[in-house]
Coordinates of all heavy atoms in Angstrom, one line a residue:
P24 N 141.4 57.3 16.6 CA 141.0 57.2 15.2 C 142.0 56.3 14.4 O 141.6 55.8 13.3 CB 141.0 58.6 14.7 CG 141.0 59.5 15.9 CD 141.7 58.7 17.0
I25 N 143.2 56.2 14.8 CA 144.2 55.6 13.9 C 143.9 54.1 13.6 O 143.9 53.7 12.5 CB 145.6 55.7 14.6 CG1 146.1 57.1 14.6 CG2 146.6 54.8 13.8 CD1 147.4 57.4 15.2
P26 N 143.4 53.3 14.6 CA 143.1 51.9 14.3 C 141.9 51.8 13.3 O 141.9 51.0 12.4 CB 142.7 51.3 15.6 CG 143.4 52.1 16.6 CD 143.4 53.5 16.1
F27 N 140.9 52.8 13.4 CA 139.8 52.8 12.5 C 140.3 53.2 11.1 O 139.8 52.7 10.1 CB 138.7 53.8 13.0 CG 138.0 53.3 14.2 CD1 138.4 53.8 15.5 CD2 137.0 52.4 14.1 CE1 137.8 53.4 16.6 CE2 136.3 52.0 15.3 CZ 136.7 52.5 16.5
I28 N 141.2 54.1 11.0 CA 141.8 54.5 9.7 C 142.5 53.4 9.0 O 142.3 53.1 7.8 CB 142.7 55.7 9.9 CG1 141.9 57.0 10.3 CG2 143.5 56.0 8.6 CD1 142.8 58.2 10.7
I29 N 143.3 52.6 9.8 CA 144.0 51.5 9.3 C 143.0 50.4 8.8 O 143.2 49.9 7.7 CB 145.0 50.9 10.3 CG1 146.1 52.0 10.6 CG2 145.6 49.6 9.8 CD1 147.1 51.6 11.7
W30 N 142.0 50.1 9.7 CA 141.1 49.1 9.3 C 140.3 49.5 8.0 O 140.1 48.7 7.1 CB 140.1 48.9 10.5 CG 138.9 48.0 10.1 CD1 138.9 46.6 10.0 CD2 137.6 48.4 9.7 NE1 137.7 46.2 9.6 CE2 136.9 47.3 9.4 CE3 137.0 49.7 9.6 CZ2 135.5 47.3 9.0 CZ3 135.7 49.7 9.2 CH2 135.0 48.6 8.9
G31 N 139.9 50.7 8.0 CA 139.1 51.2 6.8 C 140.0 51.2 5.6 O 139.5 50.9 4.5
S32 N 141.3 51.5 5.8 CA 142.2 51.5 4.6 C 142.3 50.1 4.0 O 142.3 49.9 2.8 CB 143.5 52.1 5.0 OG 143.4 53.4 5.5
L33 N 142.5 49.1 4.9 CA 142.6 47.8 4.5 C 141.4 47.3 3.8 O 141.4 46.6 2.8 CB 143.0 46.9 5.6 CG 144.4 47.1 6.3 CD1 144.6 46.2 7.5 CD2 145.5 46.9 5.3
A34 N 140.2 47.6 4.4 CA 138.9 47.2 3.8 C 138.7 47.8 2.4 O 138.3 47.1 1.5 CB 137.8 47.6 4.7
F35 N 139.1 49.1 2.2 CA 139.0 49.8 0.9 C 139.9 49.2 -0.1 O 139.6 49.0 -1.2 CB 139.2 51.3 1.1 CG 137.9 52.0 1.3 CD1 137.3 52.2 2.5 CD2 137.3 52.6 0.2 CE1 136.2 52.9 2.7 CE2 136.1 53.3 0.3 CZ 135.5 53.5 1.6
Q36 N 141.1 48.8 0.4 CA 142.1 48.2 -0.5 C 141.6 46.9 -1.1 O 141.7 46.7 -2.3 CB 143.4 47.9 0.3 CG 144.3 49.1 0.5 CD 145.6 48.7 1.1 OE1 146.2 47.7 0.7 NE2 146.1 49.4 2.0
D37 N 140.9 46.1 -0.3 CA 140.4 44.8 -0.8 C 139.3 45.1 -1.8 O 139.2 44.3 -2.8 CB 139.7 44.0 0.4 CG 140.8 43.5 1.3 OD1 142.0 43.4 0.9 OD2 140.4 43.2 2.5
R38 N 138.6 46.2 -1.7 CA 137.5 46.5 -2.7 C 138.1 47.2 -3.9 O 137.6 47.0 -5.0 CB 136.4 47.3 -2.1 CG 135.7 46.7 -0.9 CD 134.5 47.5 -0.5 NE 133.5 47.7 -1.5 CZ 132.5 48.5 -1.4 NH1 132.2 49.1 -0.3 NH2 131.6 48.6 -2.4
L39 N 139.2 47.9 -3.7 CA 139.8 48.7 -4.8 C 140.7 47.8 -5.7 O 140.8 48.1 -6.9 CB 140.6 49.8 -4.3 CG 139.9 51.1 -3.9 CD1 140.9 52.1 -3.2 CD2 139.3 51.8 -5.2
A40 N 141.3 46.8 -5.1 CA 142.2 45.9 -5.9 C 141.6 45.4 -7.2 O 142.2 45.6 -8.3 CB 142.8 44.8 -5.0
P41 N 140.5 44.7 -7.2 CA 139.9 44.2 -8.4 C 139.5 45.3 -9.4 O 139.6 45.1 -10.6 CB 138.7 43.4 -8.0 CG 138.4 43.9 -6.7 CD 139.6 44.3 -6.0
L42 N 139.1 46.5 -8.9 CA 138.7 47.6 -9.7 C 139.9 48.1 -10.5 O 139.8 48.4 -11.7 CB 138.0 48.7 -8.9 CG 136.7 48.3 -8.2 CD1 136.2 49.5 -7.4 CD2 135.7 47.9 -9.3
Y43 N 141.0 48.3 -9.8 CA 142.2 48.8 -10.5 C 142.8 47.8 -11.4 O 143.4 48.1 -12.4 CB 143.2 49.3 -9.4 CG 142.9 50.7 -8.9 CD1 142.9 51.0 -7.5 CD2 142.6 51.7 -9.8 CE1 142.6 52.2 -7.1 CE2 142.3 53.0 -9.3 CZ 142.3 53.2 -7.9 OH 142.0 54.5 -7.5
A44 N 142.7 46.5 -11.0 CA 143.2 45.5 -12.0 C 142.4 45.5 -13.3 O 142.9 45.4 -14.4 CB 143.0 44.1 -11.3
D45 N 141.1 45.8 -13.1 CA 140.2 45.9 -14.3 C 140.6 47.1 -15.1 O 140.6 47.1 -16.4 CB 138.7 46.0 -13.9 CG 137.8 45.9 -15.1 OD1 137.8 45.0 -15.9 OD2 137.1 46.9 -15.3
V46 N 141.0 48.2 -14.5 CA 141.4 49.4 -15.2 C 142.6 49.2 -16.0 O 142.7 49.5 -17.2 CB 141.7 50.6 -14.1 CG1 142.4 51.7 -14.8 CG2 140.4 51.1 -13.5
R47 N 143.6 48.5 -15.4 CA 144.8 48.2 -16.1 C 144.6 47.2 -17.3 O 145.2 47.3 -18.4 CB 145.9 47.5 -15.2 CG 146.3 48.3 -14.0 CD 146.6 49.8 -14.3 NE 147.5 50.0 -15.4 CZ 147.6 51.1 -16.0 NH1 146.9 52.1 -15.8 NH2 148.5 51.2 -17.0
E48 N 143.6 46.3 -17.1 CA 143.3 45.4 -18.2 C 142.6 46.2 -19.4 O 142.9 45.9 -20.5 CB 142.3 44.3 -17.7 CG 142.1 43.2 -18.6 CD 143.4 42.3 -18.7 OE1 144.2 42.4 -17.8 OE2 143.5 41.5 -19.6
K49 N 141.7 47.1 -19.0 CA 141.1 47.9 -20.1 C 142.0 48.8 -20.8 O 141.9 48.9 -22.1 CB 139.9 48.7 -19.4 CG 138.8 47.9 -18.9 CD 138.0 47.2 -20.0 CE 136.7 46.6 -19.5 NZ 136.9 45.6 -18.4
V50 N 143.0 49.4 -20.1 CA 143.9 50.2 -20.9 C 144.9 49.4 -21.7 O 145.3 49.8 -22.8 CB 144.7 51.1 -19.8 CG1 145.8 50.4 -19.1 CG2 145.3 52.3 -20.6
S51 N 145.1 48.2 -21.3 CA 145.9 47.3 -22.1 C 145.2 46.9 -23.4 O 145.8 47.0 -24.5 CB 146.2 46.0 -21.3 OG 146.9 45.0 -22.1
F52 N 143.9 46.7 -23.4 CA 143.1 46.4 -24.6 C 143.1 47.7 -25.5 O 143.2 47.5 -26.7 CB 141.6 46.1 -24.2 CG 141.5 44.7 -23.5 CD1 140.5 44.5 -22.6 CD2 142.4 43.7 -23.8 CE1 140.3 43.3 -22.0 CE2 142.3 42.5 -23.2 CZ 141.3 42.3 -22.3
L53 N 143.0 48.8 -24.9 CA 143.0 50.1 -25.7 C 144.3 50.3 -26.4 O 144.3 50.6 -27.6 CB 142.6 51.3 -24.7 CG 142.6 52.6 -25.4 CD1 141.6 52.7 -26.5 CD2 142.3 53.7 -24.4
N54 N 145.4 50.1 -25.6 CA 146.7 50.2 -26.3 C 146.9 49.2 -27.4 O 147.5 49.5 -28.4 CB 147.8 50.0 -25.2 CG 147.9 51.3 -24.3 OD1 147.5 52.3 -24.7 ND2 148.5 51.1 -23.2
G55 N 146.4 48.0 -27.2 CA 146.5 47.0 -28.2 C 145.8 47.4 -29.5 O 146.3 47.2 -30.6
Q56 N 144.6 47.9 -29.3 CA 143.9 48.4 -30.5 C 144.6 49.5 -31.2 O 144.6 49.6 -32.4 CB 142.5 48.8 -30.0 CG 141.5 49.1 -31.2 CD 141.2 47.9 -32.0 OE1 140.8 46.8 -31.5 NE2 141.5 47.9 -33.3
L57 N 145.1 50.5 -30.4 CA 145.8 51.6 -31.1 C 147.1 51.1 -31.8 O 147.4 51.6 -32.9 CB 146.2 52.6 -30.0 CG 145.1 53.4 -29.4 CD1 145.6 54.2 -28.1 CD2 144.5 54.4 -30.4
S58 N 147.8 50.1 -31.2 CA 149.0 49.6 -31.8 C 148.6 48.9 -33.1 O 149.3 49.1 -34.2 CB 149.7 48.6 -30.9 OG 150.8 48.0 -31.5
N59 N 147.6 48.1 -33.1 CA 147.1 47.4 -34.4 C 146.8 48.5 -35.4 O 147.1 48.3 -36.6 CB 145.9 46.5 -34.1 CG 146.3 45.2 -33.4 OD1 147.5 44.8 -33.5 ND2 145.4 44.6 -32.7
N60 N 146.1 49.5 -35.0 CA 145.6 50.5 -36.0 C 146.8 51.2 -36.6 O 146.8 51.5 -37.8 CB 144.7 51.5 -35.4 CG 143.3 50.9 -35.1 OD1 143.1 49.7 -35.5 ND2 142.4 51.7 -34.6
L61 N 147.8 51.6 -35.8 CA 149.0 52.3 -36.3 C 149.8 51.4 -37.3 O 150.3 51.8 -38.3 CB 149.9 52.7 -35.2 CG 149.3 53.9 -34.3 CD1 150.2 54.1 -33.1 CD2 149.1 55.1 -35.1
M62 N 149.9 50.1 -36.9 CA 150.7 49.2 -37.8 C 149.9 48.9 -39.1 O 150.5 48.6 -40.1 CB 151.0 47.9 -37.1 CG 152.0 48.1 -36.0 SD 152.6 46.5 -35.3 CE 151.1 45.9 -34.5
G63 N 148.5 48.9 -39.0 CA 147.7 48.6 -40.2 C 147.1 49.8 -40.8 O 146.1 49.7 -41.5
I64 N 147.8 51.0 -40.7 CA 147.2 52.2 -41.2 C 147.0 52.2 -42.7 O 146.0 52.8 -43.2 CB 148.1 53.5 -40.8 CG1 147.3 54.8 -41.0 CG2 149.4 53.4 -41.5 CD1 146.1 54.9 -40.1
T65 N 147.9 51.6 -43.4 CA 147.7 51.5 -44.9 C 146.4 50.7 -45.3 O 145.7 51.1 -46.1 CB 148.9 50.8 -45.5 OG1 150.1 51.6 -45.2 CG2 148.8 50.8 -47.1
T66 N 146.2 49.6 -44.6 CA 145.0 48.8 -44.8 C 143.8 49.6 -44.5 O 142.8 49.5 -45.2 CB 145.1 47.5 -44.0 OG1 146.3 46.8 -44.4 CG2 143.9 46.6 -44.3
I67 N 143.8 50.3 -43.3 CA 142.7 51.0 -42.9 C 142.3 52.1 -44.0 O 141.1 52.3 -44.3 CB 142.9 51.7 -41.5 CG1 143.0 50.6 -40.5 CG2 141.9 52.7 -41.2 CD1 143.5 51.2 -39.1
K68 N 143.3 52.8 -44.5 CA 143.1 53.9 -45.5 C 142.6 53.3 -46.8 O 141.7 53.8 -47.4 CB 144.3 54.7 -45.7 CG 144.7 55.6 -44.5 CD 145.9 56.4 -44.8 CE 146.2 57.4 -43.6 NZ 145.1 58.4 -43.4
S69 N 143.2 52.1 -47.2 CA 142.8 51.6 -48.5 C 141.4 51.0 -48.5 O 140.8 51.0 -49.5 CB 143.8 50.4 -48.8 OG 143.7 49.3 -47.9
F70 N 140.9 50.6 -47.3 CA 139.5 50.1 -47.2 C 138.5 51.2 -46.7 O 137.4 50.9 -46.4 CB 139.4 48.9 -46.3 CG 139.9 47.6 -47.0 CD1 141.2 47.3 -46.9 CD2 139.0 46.8 -47.7 CE1 141.7 46.1 -47.5 CE2 139.4 45.7 -48.3 CZ 140.8 45.3 -48.2

């Protein structure tokens, strides 16, 4: 079973890599939005 496990692991890695890259990109956008809101909290409240 070990060669099949290694082959399957490598195949899954190739499919998982872009998905996890997209996850990190999305959390970066979310953090950016939160950072902007915290820095602009006075403007948000005033409007």
Side-chain angles (χ1 to χ4, degrees):
I25 294 179
F27 292 97
I28 293 173
I29 294 175
W30 172 81
S32 300
L33 294 176
F35 266 84
Q36 279 187 45
D37 290 339
R38 297 187 62 185
L39 276 172
L42 296 180
Y43 280 133
D45 186 60
V46 169
R47 302 314 309 161
E48 193 71 19
K49 292 295 191 299
V50 77
S51 176
F52 291 150
L53 179 59
N54 284 341
Q56 189 63 55
L57 289 170
S58 176
N59 283 336
N60 287 359
L61 290 173
M62 289 190 293
I64 192 67
T65 302
T66 302
I67 292 172
K68 288 182 178 295
S69 66
F70 282 90

